[in-house]
Amino acid sequence: MDSGAQLEQARAFKFVDDHPVLMALIWRYTDRVLPGPLGMLVFMNAMFWAGLTGLFWALPIPLLVRAVGLLAVAFFPPVFSVLPIVLKDGLMPGALLLGLALLVVPGRTYRARVAVGCTFFILAIGARHSALAAVWPFLMLPLCDPSDRGPYGCSSLLG
């Protein structure tokens, strides 16, 4: 019922505060590309899988171990149970994972990825207000100096 009510709000462009307005806005535009719940489901799952894959890609361990770990985490029942359903409970972890992956994966375009990652954090907060408690520690990562090799440095966090 929640998903149906939110899709109605997205299509009518009339929002009520019982559902996340930001999610309804996104659904309004995904509904134009893939009508019904499929567009939002694809969007949510794309964020989840891209974020989780990015995090496992950044790990300094053998590829086979990363692949098995990725599948073990993704298909762990409490994690996987939110993926096949269009709810705010699936949008938030997908946005958090993708935002975090954009912050920790090494590369040359770090400043741009921080900006895009923060956009996904805003999306997570817009999906569930409780995401704010999860986001603020992630926002400390760009402040870390990866060259700091001291016992309390950020090099262990960033690889």
Side-chain angles (χ1 to χ4, degrees), residues 16-158:
V16 183
D17 64 353
D18 60 343
H19 296 290
V21 174
L22 190 55
M23 184 174 175
L25 284 171
I26 293 169
W27 204 342
R28 178 172 178 80
Y29 297 105
T30 60
D31 189 46
R32 291 180 179 180
V33 177
L34 289 170
L38 184 61
M40 189 58 142
L41 188 67
V42 167
F43 177 70
M44 290 169 34
N45 277 279
M47 284 192 309
F48 175 85
W49 285 103
L52 195 61
T53 302
L55 289 174
F56 274 89
W57 183 261
L59 293 174
I61 54 178
L63 180 61
L64 181 62
V65 175
R66 286 184 280 170
V68 170
L70 170 74
L71 295 175
V73 169
F75 290 108
F76 185 57
V79 174
F80 185 73
S81 65
V82 298
L83 294 180
I85 306 166
V86 178
L87 289 173
K88 59 187 172 191
D89 303 321
L91 182 64
M92 182 193 73
L96 286 175
L97 280 170
L98 188 52
L100 180 60
L102 287 166
L103 293 183
V104 299
V105 174
R108 291 180 289 183
T109 59
Y110 186 68
R111 289 180 192 243
R113 286 186 292 118
V114 167
V116 175
C118 288
T119 303
F120 283 106
F121 291 149
I122 291 169
L123 174 59
I125 294 168
R128 289 192 59 95
H129 64 278
S130 57
L132 184 59
V135 166
W136 74 266
F138 297 153
L139 294 177
M140 298 300 116
L141 288 174
L143 301 176
C144 292
D145 180 8
S147 64
D148 184 6
R149 300 284 179 192
Y152 303 107
C154 297
S155 60
S156 61
L157 295 174
L158 300 175

